[in-house]
Amino acid sequence: MPELPRRFRRSVLTSYANTATTALVALVMTPVLVHGLGTEAYGIWVLAGSLALYLELLEFGFGLATVKYAAQYSSLDDRQGLHRVLATSFWILTVPGVIALVIGAGIALGFSHIFSTPPDLVDAAAIVVLLVAFDLALSIPSDTFGGALMGLQRFDLVNGTLIVVLAAQAVSWFLVLEAGGGLVEIAIVTVTLSLLGQLARYLLARRLIPGLSVSLRHFDRQLVRPLAGLSVWLAVSQASLLVIQRLDVVVVGIVLGVRAAAVYAVGQKLAFAVERFVMPTVKMFFPWSSELSARADEVGLRSSLLTGTRLSLAVGGPLCLALILLAGPVLDAWLGTGFEDAELVVVFLAAATVAAALGRTGILMLQGVGRARPTAWMAL
């Protein structure tokens, strides 16, 4: 019988709800922020968000490693082991959290020198970057609790907190702008709500894991090596994925110019939209494979691999085929004339997305059973 992760339907539905909420907030609030803040201030806001994306790489894969070991110890009903791995992960992640704060502070001090900033926004830009760095300093170690929930197959709870935070941030942005607030006030409410979301995940993890504590007395040095051994390869995969998704536009811009980069980026966005639509159906197989591996359930692993691959192709295949056949009309309806050259980009990248769908579940499951090295080399 095909093996599906526990609470699969609930996890998939809430993951799609989270994706839809993210898209809706971006669609509705982007023009609100652009007009409410002004082009220059909005540019600072976007740059600060981009810096946060790169600073999150300082986790070095420990967040995903936490998910794997939380699932493993939970499957074995080893509550003490689960407590130790979460406490160890938390304290290890405080180090990149502090590093992110220090780097962020340095960027804040030099922001106006790195980026051309209007004189009246120099102080605001520095404060915003500092706030983002402060958020990362607390959020990076606190991701341990979100990882614990995912390891317990409670993606629905993680998605629920993310949806509430997104919606609350969107409403807060609107209210701040209506009250005459600006960039700094927007950053304050955003960081506050983000940290409240982390607090909610901590409380949910404590409810599901009685006696959960991240006290230093639960720190286990013997767990550092297996966590680090897995995380380093997961970090390589994450960094490679970031390069795959971000660097090609830069290369096109350098070789062919900014217009070609814009055309390529438009085609890339459509192909990546399909990828984001596939991931909610397969990401639960990462902790699920950790559970099956801990129980030495080879039949379950094989069955889950086949089921996950079929799901990935069933969702991604028709979407990519439709995108390949309708690339021209979709681009015309979306952006109008001037982006005809993006049609071929869509065709090639959509075909690549189908090929990637064949191995998506297998890669996640290899990582889940602790075989992250071959997937890292493939990503490289």
Side-chain angles (χ1 to χ4, degrees):
M1 181 178 178
E3 290 275 355
L4 284 174
R6 291 180 288 108
R7 304 181 184 88
F8 179 76
R9 184 180 303 176
R10 189 186 305 174
S11 295
V12 169
L13 289 176
T14 55
S15 293
Y16 279 125
N18 182 32
T19 301
T21 303
T22 303
L24 182 62
V25 168
L27 180 67
V28 173
M29 294 308 299
T30 296
V32 172
L33 290 171
V34 169
H35 295 300
L37 293 173
T39 305
E40 290 84 1
Y42 179 72
I44 292 170
W45 180 246
V46 171
L47 285 169
S50 297
L51 291 172
L53 178 66
Y54 286 101
L55 288 175
E56 284 180 348
L57 289 175
L58 291 171
E59 280 195 8
F60 296 114
F62 271 99
L64 285 176
T66 302
V67 177
K68 181 257 189 295
Y69 282 102
Q72 176 179 313
Y73 283 109
S74 174
S75 176
L76 298 173
D77 199 25
D78 184 352
R79 185 165 295 178
Q80 292 302 316
L82 181 57
H83 290 174
R84 292 198 308 274
V85 77
L86 295 179
T88 304
S89 173
F90 178 85
W91 287 106
I92 289 175
L93 285 172
T94 58
V95 176
V98 172
I99 294 173
L101 181 61
V102 172
I103 294 175
I107 293 173
L109 291 174
F111 189 91
S112 60
H113 301 290
I114 301 170
F115 305 101
S116 179
T117 308
D120 60 323
L121 291 174
V122 169
D123 291 340
I127 293 171
V128 168
V129 175
L130 277 174
L131 285 169
V132 169
F134 175 72
D135 183 21
L136 286 172
L138 296 180
S139 294
I140 288 177
S142 297
D143 282 344
T144 299
F145 310 117
L149 292 174
M150 288 188 283
L152 297 175
Q153 293 289 337
R154 296 311 304 263
F155 284 84
D156 54 327
L157 297 179
V158 175
N159 289 324
T161 61
L162 293 173
I163 290 169
V164 171
V165 168
L166 277 169
Q169 286 175 339
V171 172
S172 299
W173 295 340
F174 180 79
L175 293 176
V176 166
L177 293 174
E178 283 293 303
L183 188 59
V184 173
E185 290 78 13
I186 289 286
I188 290 172
V189 298
T190 301
V191 169
T192 300
L193 290 168
S194 172
L195 294 177
L196 286 174
Q198 293 285 5
L199 176 61
R201 288 186 282 278
Y202 166 69
L203 294 175
L204 288 168
R206 284 201 61 178
R207 182 178 178 182
L208 294 177
I209 308 172
L212 173 63
S213 170
V214 291
S215 170
L216 267 174
R217 69 175 182 274
H218 295 302
F219 184 89
D220 189 343
R221 292 183 180 179
Q222 293 183 345
L223 286 171
V224 174
R225 185 170 182 177
L227 278 168
L230 177 62
S231 68
V232 66
W233 294 109
L234 292 173
V236 170
S237 294
Q238 288 177 312
S240 300
L241 183 61
L242 186 64
V243 170
I244 290 168
Q245 293 181 344
R246 303 284 180 176
L247 193 61
D248 48 356
V249 176
V250 177
V251 173
V252 170
I254 293 171
V255 177
L256 299 177
V258 293
R259 184 188 180 280
V263 170
Y264 186 90
V266 165
Q268 185 190 57
K269 282 182 182 295
L270 288 176
F272 282 169
V274 175
E275 175 73 12
R276 285 191 287 270
F277 203 82
V278 172
M279 280 305 294
T281 65
V282 297
K283 64 182 181 181
M284 288 79 68
F285 285 88
F286 173 67
W288 178 237
S289 63
S290 298
E291 290 192 22
L292 295 174
S293 176
R295 299 199 299 263
D297 187 352
E298 293 186 8
V299 174
L301 283 167
R302 187 179 300 111
S303 181
S304 293
L305 173 61
L306 291 172
T307 301
T309 302
R310 289 166 180 160
L311 280 170
S312 180
L313 287 172
V315 174
L319 286 173
C320 287
L321 181 60
L323 193 57
I324 289 170
L325 296 175
L326 301 173
V330 169
L331 287 166
D332 288 340
W334 183 29
L335 297 170
T337 59
F339 286 89
E340 292 79 8
D341 291 343
E343 182 176 347
L344 198 57
V345 176
V346 174
V347 170
F348 280 125
L349 294 185
T353 300
V354 174
L358 277 169
R360 182 68 62 213
T361 304
I363 288 172
L364 289 170
M365 291 185 66
L366 275 172
Q367 293 173 338
V369 300
R371 296 286 302 279
R373 181 181 297 187
T375 66
W377 281 114
M378 285 189 284
L380 280 171

